Amino acid sequence: MEILMSVLVGILFTAGTYLVLAKSLLRIVLGTAILGHGALLLLLTMAGLKTGAPPLLGMEGITNYVDPLPQALILTAIVINFGTMGFFLVLAYRSYKELGTDDMEELRGTNNE
Amino acid sequence: MSWLHIFILLPFLFAVIIPVLYKKFPKIHTGWFVLAAPAGIFAYLLSYIPMVAGGETTMYSLPWIPSLDIHFSLYVDGLGLIFALLITGIGSLVVFYSIYYLSKVREALHNFYVYLMMFMGAMLGLVLSDNLIVLYLFWELTSISSFLLIAYWYARRQSRYGAQKSMLITVFGGFAMLAAIIMFYIMGNTFSIRELLSQADQLVQHDLFIATMILLLLGAFTKSAQFPFHIWLPDAMEAPTPVSAYLHSATMVKAGIYLVARFTPIFGGTMEWFWIVTAVGLITLFWGSLLAVKQRDLKALLAFSTISQLGLIMSLLGMGSAALYYGGGETSQLHSAAILAAVFHLVNHSTFKGSLFMVVGIVDHETGTRDLRKLGGLMSIMPITFTIAIIGSLSMAGLPPFNGFLSKELFFTGTLNAASLDIFNMETYGALIPIVAWVASVFTFVYSLILVFKTFLGKFQPERLEKEAHEAPWGMLLPPLVLSVLVIGIFFVPNVLADYALEPMMASILPPLEGQFDIYIEAWHGFVPELFMTIGIVVIGLLLYLTLKKWLWLYNNMPRAMTITNAYNSGLKRMESGSRKITDLHMTGFVRDYLRYIFVLLIMIVGASLFLLDGFSFEVSNVAPINLYEMILAAVLVGAAAMVVLTRSRLTAVIGVGVLGYIVALFFVVLRAPDLALTQLAIETVSVALYLLCFYHLPRLRQRDEGDGLNVMNLVIALAVGTLVTLIALSANGHRMFPAISDFYEGGYELAGASNMVNAILADFRAFDTLLEIFVLAIAGLGVYSLIKLRLARRASDENQ
């Protein structure tokens, strides 16, 4: 399972990186979203998979739980990811409105700055 | 804090109060106030003469940064004291001269004297410091104040060019010297020159010895305008003449000489030191005298003459260092004659060169030009100036009855002694030294004659002068007169100077021979080779001078492109255009390119360390089994990712990302993370809604044909990144070093009253994370709000830039 997940994470990173290197701002936004998903799965995988029950105490007869710490970390990461993502989206939207393009080749600093 | 400390810091104190005096007493020339500082210090330093002449030294220490072995310690011995006396003595004369030279009305005098006092204090600190770091501090301070003084008339382009050039070259050497100082600390574990000298025997065997020597000499050669770093000195002549007289003939350019002399006890006696110092000095001597002949500007002529004379002193220090090879005894004494010549000529040069610069300043001041082609016939108009000039020039040429004659004779003694050495491969090349020295002296004779005869003899051309020529005021004549009296005085009583100044100086340079010198300088020493050499110089020199017109054209055939200044200029230009090219090449302004650099570097560094450090491992023993559900989820995930990448429609892409997010949520379900699944589902829903909302306003994904259907380079980078992440994940999985700490959280109910371990961690065990994550959301929300609401007109923001 860990091997499969590692390969999956690799695929998500490949797709994310390829999109981030694209010309259109929109694809870059989607690329960062995919990179984010890859990172979440990687975190979870690294803690070891399927080593026990869900991390909920109080159920009878269970001694083995999955590691709760990475899950807490991931939860934090998801929320932060969402916050930055939302900001990024609105920024992309605004820059398109102001500058009239979403092509990264056209969005470049002037020479004399 | 001793009195000496206070006197050394006095010029800096003056630098602070001068602007106040300048404003308070506008009627009095500020120079009169300033004069008190050098004159006072000179008088105070004179009180050390008897002690130093008696062979004693003294040291005053003041802790500055004791933990780093940096002390403001002052060491008074012959070498330091005579330099300090030259600095303050000629400093007083220069200040006096500048009072008459610089106009009270037209010039920014407060600037001038502040810079000059900074320089004087720095120079005094430099020659008296025992701590190398403090010495370096003062060294750079002389560079900075010299820079300020050269660019005193900063409205002129040439002044700024000269200042920049001297700054670049001397600071380059200063940095090399700093490296040498650090190496000294590594070798001897001290910054004190005194302690380093006492360890000289061990230092010679250290691996860093040669490197330290070369770096130190770089510092000395750049400061003292030695070949090929001499090019800054002629351009520094844009400074006011008192500055040229003071800095660029008598003091600052001798800082390098001082440094070489100071470290001779450590490095002297080795072949490398002997050859580098002697050869560079001789080349400088020869080259400087050769180029001085062709100059048409009086100050440029004097600049090249200074370069040449500094080369002479430097080569003498090199030749004299051979005395340390023998470490005492008769042979050592023979070679110590070169050191005597060096220190003697050092003093003599300060006297006659200072007076010559002042003479040139007078000529410039009273006629309005320094161009030899416009000058001539001033003898009857400026008789006193002419007298001073002829004394200085003939001393420079090495004729009796002036002090230059004595030191020139001693110089020839030194070269002849060096030629007879049988160490350091001297058998092969030794004979060259006197020949080069002799030829250079012939040229010295020629330019000395040019200097005085072309200016004061010949035809008077009043129509070509900018002012009506007349004799200078007495105030301006007095300082060069004092120096001229010294020039003649030293010739007649050289042994007074030798006993009180030269012998202590030699004792500092050649400590093993201390007390063994038999210094007796005499003007007439029989028909020895040195005398015939001098007679030869006069005869050949006169012949050359009289036939000047016939061979001066030779200089014009020298290609301009071959000059060192040209190499400096074009090198500077090429450096600038080269760095611009490099910057333009990689700083394209495209975010894509920068991202590519970042990813490629990540792949290279992380990938290389993974394999080179043998970090890759593939372990399957503790891997969990896979079932069908997970296979299907994985397949859908890959499909969704591929769809996002490949699609040409933005809606499909958004839906693809949505599918991807939901599959991740399902993975959280399968992998037993209920809270994550809930959050992920909710957030993915909101995100997709947001995407749709925003993208409604964005253009279509393929609004126009972009022409990068499949970018191969991007694909390769992306594949490499993905593979790298997989490899790292697999390796990390195979390297479980220790068990997780999560057993602790199984006591969550007892510790926190919570049965949901994840929530207990978020809100109880690690609640700070949660707090700050709330901040992130809040800031993002505020950011979104302000992005949408706040719309300053673009024009207004452009104006503010």
Side-chain angles (χ1 to χ4, degrees):
Chain A
M1 188 68 199
E2 277 89 347
I3 294 164
L4 175 74
M5 291 301 281
S6 298
V7 173
L8 269 185
V9 167
I11 290 169
L12 287 182
F13 266 86
T14 308
T17 309
Y18 186 76
L19 286 172
V20 163
L21 290 172
K23 251 193 210 172
S24 118
L25 194 56
L26 197 144
R27 282 171 162 254
I28 294 177
V29 176
L30 295 178
T32 45
I34 294 178
L35 280 179
H37 289 317
L40 299 182
L41 286 184
L42 183 62
L43 260 175
L44 197 65
T45 311
M46 287 302 95
L49 297 172
K50 294 204 250 182
T51 47
L56 298 169
L57 300 167
M59 282 185 271
E60 291 294 321
I62 296 171
T63 51
N64 240 358
Y65 297 101
V66 294
D67 197 338
L69 194 55
Q71 295 197 10
L73 297 182
I74 291 168
L75 202 62
T76 311
I78 290 174
V79 176
I80 289 173
N81 213 2
F82 173 68
T84 50
M85 207 64 206
F87 183 78
F88 192 12
L89 272 172
V90 177
L91 192 64
Y93 162 72
R94 285 287 295 140
S95 71
Y96 178 69
K97 283 275 154 185
E98 288 289 324
L99 305 168
T101 181
D102 72 329
D103 187 343
M104 292 313 286
E105 301 278 288
E106 288 171 29
L107 290 171
R108 70 177 275 207
T110 47
N111 273 328
N112 297 316
E113 270 181 333
Chain B
M1 195 161 205
S2 65
W3 275 107
L4 190 60
H5 279 102
I6 293 168
F7 274 96
I8 298 270
L9 295 175
L10 196 63
F12 296 108
L13 181 72
F14 265 69
V16 174
I17 59 171
I18 284 165
V20 181
L21 293 173
Y22 178 74
K23 286 262 149 64
K24 279 261 175 198
F25 304 99
K27 290 213 174 101
I28 307 165
H29 197 288
T30 318
W32 291 113
F33 301 115
V34 178
L35 194 56
I41 303 169
F42 182 75
Y44 173 74
L45 287 175
L46 278 179
S47 68
Y48 282 92
I49 287 267
M51 179 203 83
V52 168
E56 286 172 51
T57 59
T58 178
M59 176 113 153
Y60 304 97
S61 201
L62 185 70
W64 180 19
I65 314 173
S67 57
L68 297 177
D69 190 27
I70 296 172
H71 307 271
F72 185 18
S73 45
L74 299 174
Y75 180 75
V76 185
D77 65 345
L79 191 63
L81 183 65
I82 301 305
F83 264 96
L85 283 170
L86 280 178
I87 291 159
T88 48
I90 295 182
S92 316
L93 294 176
V94 162
V95 169
F96 190 85
Y97 178 80
S98 71
I99 292 171
Y100 290 89
Y101 186 86
L102 291 174
S103 158
K104 192 171 63 187
V105 192
R106 285 196 306 272
E107 305 287 356
L109 286 177
H110 50 319
N111 290 351
F112 181 80
Y113 287 113
V114 167
Y115 302 158
L116 198 71
M117 283 298 109
M118 265 170 66
F119 173 79
M120 186 181 291
M123 208 57 213
L124 277 175
L126 168 60
V127 295
L128 292 174
S129 284
D130 180 57
N131 192 285
L132 280 172
I133 293 289
V134 177
L135 186 147
Y136 174 72
L137 176 89
F138 285 122
W139 183 276
E140 292 297 23
L141 206 54
T142 63
S143 294
I144 291 166
S145 47
S146 158
F147 168 79
L148 290 169
L149 282 165
I150 295 169
Y152 175 63
W153 288 311
Y154 53 82
R156 298 183 189 172
R157 206 181 62 84
Q158 274 301 315
S159 295
R160 298 197 302 269
Y161 170 78
Q164 187 207 35
K165 194 176 187 180
S166 74
M167 182 76 162
L168 285 177
I169 292 176
T170 52
V171 168
F172 160 75
F175 281 150
M177 199 180 103
L178 180 62
I181 289 170
I182 293 166
M183 285 185 184
F184 267 130
Y185 191 77
I186 295 170
M187 292 196 295
N189 202 30
T190 176
F191 281 128
S192 162
I193 299 174
R194 228 43 12 225
E195 286 166 32
L196 283 171
L197 293 190
S198 64
Q199 305 177 26
D201 297 340
Q202 292 104 52
L203 296 185
V204 179
Q205 276 131 37
H206 202 281
D207 293 337
L208 288 174
F209 183 72
I210 298 289
T212 311
M213 177 195 289
I214 289 167
L215 287 170
L216 191 80
L217 283 178
L218 261 182
F221 288 164
T222 50
K223 199 77 162 182
S224 282
Q226 299 293 301
F227 188 90
F229 306 113
H230 64 274
I231 51 172
W232 66 266
L233 192 61
D235 283 307
M237 291 301 132
E238 294 299 325
T241 303
V243 172
S244 310
Y246 187 41
L247 273 69
H248 306 127
S249 73
T251 53
M252 188 177 95
V253 287
K254 298 215 168 85
I257 304 273
Y258 168 79
L259 200 72
V260 170
R262 183 51 95 199
F263 284 99
T264 297
I266 293 181
F267 294 109
T270 59
M271 182 170 137
E272 294 84 358
W273 178 263
F274 177 87
W275 269 112
I276 297 174
V277 178
T278 309
V280 170
L282 280 175
I283 293 170
T284 314
L285 164 66
F286 185 75
W287 190 245
S289 65
L290 206 62
L291 284 185
V293 174
K294 77 158 194 173
Q295 302 303 322
R296 288 289 154 264
D297 177 23
L298 282 175
K299 271 177 105 177
L301 190 151
L302 284 180
F304 278 105
S305 127
T306 302
I307 291 168
S308 157
Q309 305 274 314
L310 290 170
L312 186 152
I313 300 172
M314 194 65 91
S315 69
L316 279 170
L317 285 176
M319 292 180 233
S321 72
L324 286 172
Y325 178 83
Y326 299 104
E330 218 163 285
T331 329
S332 281
Q333 274 187 35
L334 184 70
H335 294 292
S336 71
I339 297 287
L340 172 66
V343 293
F344 192 28
H345 196 70
L346 182 103
V347 175
N348 293 346
H349 177 251
S350 297
T351 56
F352 66 68
K353 193 51 69 65
S355 79
L356 282 177
F357 264 109
M358 289 177 191
V359 162
V360 168
I362 290 169
V363 170
D364 190 13
H365 204 261
E366 306 307 334
T367 64
T369 182
R370 302 192 307 247
D371 195 326
L372 274 174
R373 285 164 296 194
K374 295 182 185 167
L375 292 167
L378 293 174
M379 184 171 76
S380 52
I381 298 165
M382 309 166 87
I384 305 168
T385 317
F386 169 66
T387 315
I388 299 166
I390 204 153
I391 292 170
S393 303
L394 295 186
S395 177
M396 182 158 76
L399 292 185
F402 308 110
N403 58 6
F405 172 72
L406 301 175
S407 45
K408 188 76 84 153
E409 295 285 284
L410 276 168
F411 169 54
F412 288 140
T413 313
T415 55
L416 291 173
N417 285 343
S420 64
L421 274 174
D422 51 1
I423 48 168
F424 308 149
N425 292 330
M426 279 297 284
E427 309 86 357
T428 343
Y429 307 107
L432 274 174
I433 292 179
I435 296 171
V436 172
W438 186 81
V439 174
S441 300
V442 171
F443 280 102
T444 305
F445 188 83
V446 173
Y447 71 67
S448 300
L449 292 189
I450 291 177
L451 174 70
V452 64
F453 289 160
K454 296 268 173 187
T455 314
F456 292 97
L457 298 182
K459 212 174 84 210
F460 183 48
Q461 304 159 299
E463 71 284 355
R464 301 185 74 172
L465 302 180
E466 284 166 31
K467 292 182 191 167
E468 201 179 324
H470 54 81
E471 184 61 279
W474 274 104
M476 228 154 147
L477 288 170
L478 189 68
L481 264 178
V482 170
L483 288 173
S484 300
V485 168
L486 276 175
V487 167
I488 301 177
I490 291 173
F491 175 80
F492 286 108
V493 282
N495 291 307
V496 177
L497 180 77
D499 287 346
Y500 284 100
L502 303 185
E503 194 167 343
M505 279 175 103
M506 289 178 73
S508 311
I509 301 173
L510 303 172
L513 276 75
E514 196 175 339
Q516 297 178 31
F517 308 108
D518 55 339
I519 302 174
Y520 186 67
I521 304 168
E522 50 189 351
W524 177 254
H525 37 66
F527 291 102
V528 287
E530 291 91 323
L531 187 67
F532 293 116
M533 284 169 89
T534 304
I535 293 169
I537 287 170
V538 175
V539 172
I540 306 281
L542 272 175
L543 276 176
L544 279 176
Y545 177 72
L546 293 173
T547 55
L548 197 62
K549 286 213 174 78
K550 296 201 172 97
W551 54 272
L552 205 61
W553 58 269
L554 277 171
Y555 280 107
N556 300 329
N557 288 4
M558 205 164 68
R560 276 183 76 84
M562 289 284 286
T563 59
I564 298 165
T565 296
N566 194 60
Y568 164 84
N569 285 336
S570 62
L572 214 60
K573 239 184 236 139
R574 242 177 262 151
M575 228 145 74
E576 221 174 276
S577 66
S579 61
R580 171 161 287 280
K581 256 181 222 149
I582 292 171
T583 312
D584 283 348
L585 195 71
H586 72 279
M587 300 301 287
T588 54
F590 295 122
V591 178
R592 293 175 88 187
D593 288 332
Y594 304 149
L595 282 171
R596 281 184 195 134
Y597 305 151
I598 293 169
F599 281 125
V600 168
L601 271 178
L602 175 95
I603 295 161
M604 273 164 41
I605 294 170
V606 179
S609 54
L610 188 65
F611 286 102
L612 291 180
L613 303 177
D614 207 19
F616 181 69
S617 72
F618 189 62
E619 186 69 45
V620 283
S621 59
N622 55 358
V623 168
I626 311 174
N627 61 29
L628 190 61
Y629 292 125
E630 291 149 2
M631 298 282 275
I632 293 168
L633 281 179
V636 178
L637 191 73
V638 172
M643 186 168 81
V644 180
V645 173
L646 297 176
T647 184
R648 287 173 168 262
S649 139
R650 58 184 168 150
L651 199 61
T652 321
V654 169
I655 291 170
V657 171
V659 169
L660 218 143
Y662 287 123
I663 298 291
V664 170
L666 286 181
F667 263 115
F668 288 151
V669 172
V670 171
L671 299 173
R672 298 178 181 89
D675 300 286
L676 294 189
L678 276 174
T679 319
Q680 177 68 17
L681 279 174
I683 282 197
E684 200 56 40
T685 313
V686 179
S687 295
V688 170
L690 252 177
Y691 289 141
L692 290 174
L693 192 72
C694 274
F695 290 178
Y696 179 75
H697 297 280
L698 287 177
R700 273 193 295 278
L701 204 55
R702 291 281 162 172
Q703 197 176 31
R704 56 199 171 273
D705 190 26
E706 286 176 10
D708 71 338
L710 183 80
N711 191 317
V712 179
M713 182 164 50
N714 289 352
L715 187 67
V716 171
I717 293 172
L719 277 172
V721 169
T723 318
L724 189 67
V725 172
T726 303
L727 290 180
I728 290 172
L730 289 174
S731 310
N733 217 19
H735 277 291
R736 280 188 197 277
M737 304 279 195
F738 42 81
I741 57 165
S742 296
D743 290 346
F744 170 76
Y745 297 115
E746 281 172 30
Y749 194 76
E750 291 78 35
L751 291 166
S755 55
N756 185 329
M757 279 195 262
V758 175
N759 286 1
I761 293 172
L762 283 173
D764 209 315
F765 296 114
R766 299 176 56 93
F768 268 120
D769 290 356
T770 316
L771 180 70
L772 296 175
E773 148 196 351
I774 292 166
F775 279 161
V776 170
L777 266 190
I779 292 165
L782 281 174
V784 167
Y785 178 79
S786 48
L787 263 180
I788 292 172
K789 276 287 169 189
L790 296 180
R791 300 198 178 180
L792 301 169
R794 246 169 98 193
R795 203 132 132 259
S797 70
D798 280 351
E799 276 166 6
N800 288 339
Q801 272 174 358

